[in-house]
Amino acid sequence: MSDINDFKDLTIWQKGMDISERCYFLTKLFPKDELYAMVQQIRRSAVSIPANIAEGYGRRYTGEYIRFLNIAQGSVNELETHLILSKRVGLCSEKDIEMILNLLKEESRMIISLIKKLEN
């Protein structure tokens, strides 16, 4: 098992960064009139996932870490909602968001698993 020296060593954070990166590339394809609407919502919720994982990791108490992991989980759900709506209103296709949705499922499982581990 590898050593964890800081939050950047966490697989859960790395996957969150991958999700954020994919969302940035996806939203570059959206119409310009969505820049301050759906583009901003998708990017904000995507970045919130690894940001809250990192912030929680830096907290001194397990309870605070769990709180930030729960916020990250909420951002996973929010991002999934924005992506599904984007597909429904024709801003992107199912193929465009399929990989991100799969990564979100994995990320969600990892967050929930880590929360349960920390609670015990």
Side-chain angles (χ1 to χ4, degrees), residues 32-82:
K32 295 295 178 211
D33 64 336
E34 287 295 328
L35 184 60
Y36 297 106
M38 192 59 79
V39 169
Q40 188 175 39
Q41 291 295 315
I42 288 172
R43 289 178 178 184
R44 185 188 53 74
S45 57
V47 170
S48 179
I49 298 166
N52 278 291
I53 291 166
E55 186 170 356
Y57 181 84
R59 298 293 175 139
R60 292 185 56 184
Y61 302 104
T62 303
E64 288 186 48
Y65 192 13
I66 291 169
R67 183 169 71 85
F68 280 92
L69 289 171
N70 278 306
I71 294 168
Q73 179 59 43
S75 295
V76 166
N77 296 341
E78 180 182 1
L79 177 56
E80 182 177 2
T81 299
H82 293 319

Side-chain angles (χ1 to χ4, degrees), residues 2-120:
S2 63
D3 290 326
I4 305 292
N5 296 312
D6 69 9
F7 66 89
K8 293 183 291 298
D9 296 327
L10 298 169
T11 304
I12 195 171
W13 178 84
Q14 294 167 5
K15 187 174 294 297
M17 291 295 287
D18 291 343
I19 290 166
S20 296
E21 182 180 2
R22 287 177 184 271
C23 286
Y24 265 79
F25 288 128
L26 171 68
T27 55
K28 282 184 178 187
L29 305 174
F30 283 23
K32 295 295 178 211
D33 64 336
E34 287 295 328
L35 184 60
Y36 297 106
M38 192 59 79
V39 169
Q40 188 175 39
Q41 291 295 315
I42 288 172
R43 289 178 178 184
R44 185 188 53 74
S45 57
V47 170
S48 179
I49 298 166
N52 278 291
I53 291 166
E55 186 170 356
Y57 181 84
R59 298 293 175 139
R60 292 185 56 184
Y61 302 104
T62 303
E64 288 186 48
Y65 192 13
I66 291 169
R67 183 169 71 85
F68 280 92
L69 289 171
N70 278 306
I71 294 168
Q73 179 59 43
S75 295
V76 166
N77 296 341
E78 180 182 1
L79 177 56
E80 182 177 2
T81 299
H82 293 319
L83 293 172
I84 292 168
L85 181 58
S86 293
K87 180 191 70 134
R88 288 176 66 167
V89 300
L91 296 173
C92 61
S93 70
E94 179 72 32
K95 188 175 189 258
D96 293 333
I97 63 171
E98 182 178 24
M99 176 59 77
I100 299 171
L101 292 176
N102 288 333
L103 289 170
L104 284 171
K105 286 178 190 170
E106 293 173 21
E107 184 77 339
S108 180
R109 283 192 296 268
M110 292 172 69
I111 291 170
I112 292 167
S113 177
L114 181 54
I115 290 170
K116 288 179 181 176
K117 183 179 177 183
L118 291 170
E119 286 176 338
N120 292 332

